Amino acid sequence: YRCSPTFQYLCKMAFFNCWIVAMATLLSPFAAFRGRSVENMKLLRASLLPLKRFYGIRMRVRGSERLQLPGPFVIVCNHQASLDLIGMVEVIPDRCVPIAKRELLYLGTVGWACWLSGIIFIERHRRDAAIGVISHTAGTMRRENLRVWVFPEGTRNPGRSMLPFKRGAFHLAVQAQVPIVPIVISPYCDFFSSKEKRFTSGTCTIQVLPRVETRGLSPKDVPELTESVWQAMAKALAEMSTSDHGDQDTEQLQLEED
């Protein structure tokens, strides 16, 4: 385990997946007493919070006060790997649920736990079905004071730059007339890489950007809205990548001097 980074990576990922399955299996019966409810997200969050300590990942959160909004809003966040779960539970506000691909619903007790937690499932390859989910969610957000977490890249992107955004999250925000809160998670490249089979300890920065208002906007404004949010998040990601490298170089120099 100590001599092979690949074996260490495989062990850590196996533990990660087994932990999720075990927690879903243990907590689902308790969540079932309440039924399908966003309040069950608190159980899901509590079960995932210890993972950062097991892996030696230090989380730095900047701008968390920007999530203290009284009403509903849409969170958009970059999507790098399954480790995004660790970052998400670090900052996810109350009454907030992610939008996830529908395939997740069929993963046994994990799918059941997600359904009980109020997670919204969407069929990515059926545009008409996705539009229907967005329309229904927009009404639910305002009626139930619900916040929604979306990964607008639509797929995992381990690089240091972001993929173009899909517009579903922005149509949702405009249709519900609620703010958008962008969140950027710094690249994991320095301590995690599925391609290189590397998983060590490290530091992850989560930056909450200023909210973007959508009140008064219409569907025709969605392309421009999508592009402006992408630009702001891409700029923040680039700055965080440079900053994190500088911080790590300083820490390494201090270690060498000691």
Side-chain angles (χ1 to χ4, degrees):
Y1 179 84
R2 292 183 179 278
C3 297
S4 173
T6 298
F7 184 70
Q8 186 178 98
Y9 167 87
L10 294 173
C11 287
K12 288 186 174 183
M13 290 308 299
F15 179 81
F16 182 87
N17 292 321
C18 288
W19 179 271
I20 291 174
V21 173
M23 290 298 103
T25 303
L26 290 172
L27 295 176
S28 289
F30 296 98
F33 282 109
R34 185 184 282 134
R36 178 172 166 82
S37 170
V38 65
E39 294 301 321
N40 286 327
M41 275 299 298
K42 294 178 180 179
L43 293 174
L44 205 60
R45 178 177 182 268
S47 69
L48 295 176
L49 277 173
L51 282 172
K52 65 180 179 182
R53 295 186 176 87
F54 295 155
Y55 291 126
I57 298 175
R58 187 163 66 96
M59 310 297 289
R60 296 186 301 195
V61 182
R62 301 170 179 166
S64 59
E65 68 280 356
R66 291 169 175 157
L67 290 169
Q68 307 304 315
L69 301 179
F73 52 90
V74 174
I75 295 173
V76 291
C77 181
N78 58 318
H79 190 20
Q80 302 178 66
S82 55
L83 288 190
D84 291 339
L85 285 174
I86 299 177
M88 183 177 72
V89 299
E90 188 73 17
V91 297
I92 191 169
D94 290 339
R95 302 196 59 75
C96 181
V97 293
I99 287 183
K101 57 184 180 181
R102 192 168 182 81
E103 293 86 341
L104 184 62
L105 184 58
Y106 306 110
L107 294 182
T109 54
V110 174
W112 189 33
C114 291
W115 183 84
L116 287 169
S117 300
I119 289 177
I120 301 164
F121 298 99
I122 192 168
E123 295 187 50
R124 296 179 297 175
H125 305 298
R126 288 186 54 195
R127 188 171 183 273
D128 55 339
I131 291 174
V133 170
I134 287 173
S135 298
H136 179 265
T137 303
T140 304
M141 289 181 69
R142 297 192 64 85
R143 186 170 59 254
E144 300 183 12
N145 190 29
L146 189 69
R147 293 82 182 264
V148 176
W149 185 297
V150 186
F151 295 107
E153 290 173 286
T155 188
R156 296 175 185 179
N157 172 34
R160 291 184 179 274
S161 59
M162 286 188 298
L163 299 174
F165 285 171
K166 298 184 182 300
R167 296 176 182 173
F170 304 92
H171 276 292
L172 173 60
V174 168
Q175 192 166 338
Q177 291 288 282
V178 298
I180 295 170
V181 179
I183 292 180
V184 182
I185 301 176
S186 63
Y188 307 139
C189 307
D190 296 315
F191 63 90
F192 175 86
S193 171
S194 57
K195 184 178 181 179
E196 299 174 7
K197 300 293 186 290
R198 174 171 48 82
F199 194 170
T200 61
S201 60
T203 300
C204 178
T205 302
I206 302 173
Q207 176 71 58
V208 183
L209 303 183
R211 70 177 183 266
V212 179
E213 295 292 345
T214 65
R215 189 173 297 278
L217 299 184
S218 66
K220 68 179 181 180
D221 299 308
V222 167
E224 183 178 350
L225 175 66
T226 304
E227 178 63 21
S228 64
V229 173
W230 185 92
Q231 291 283 356
M233 292 177 65
K235 179 181 178 182
L237 183 62
E239 291 174 351
M240 290 164 68
S241 299
T242 303
S243 175
D244 286 348
H245 270 300
D247 291 344
Q248 288 167 5
D249 290 343
T250 301
E251 290 175 2
Q252 182 64 32
L253 182 59
Q254 289 175 342
L255 288 173
E256 291 175 356
E257 289 177 348
D258 292 343

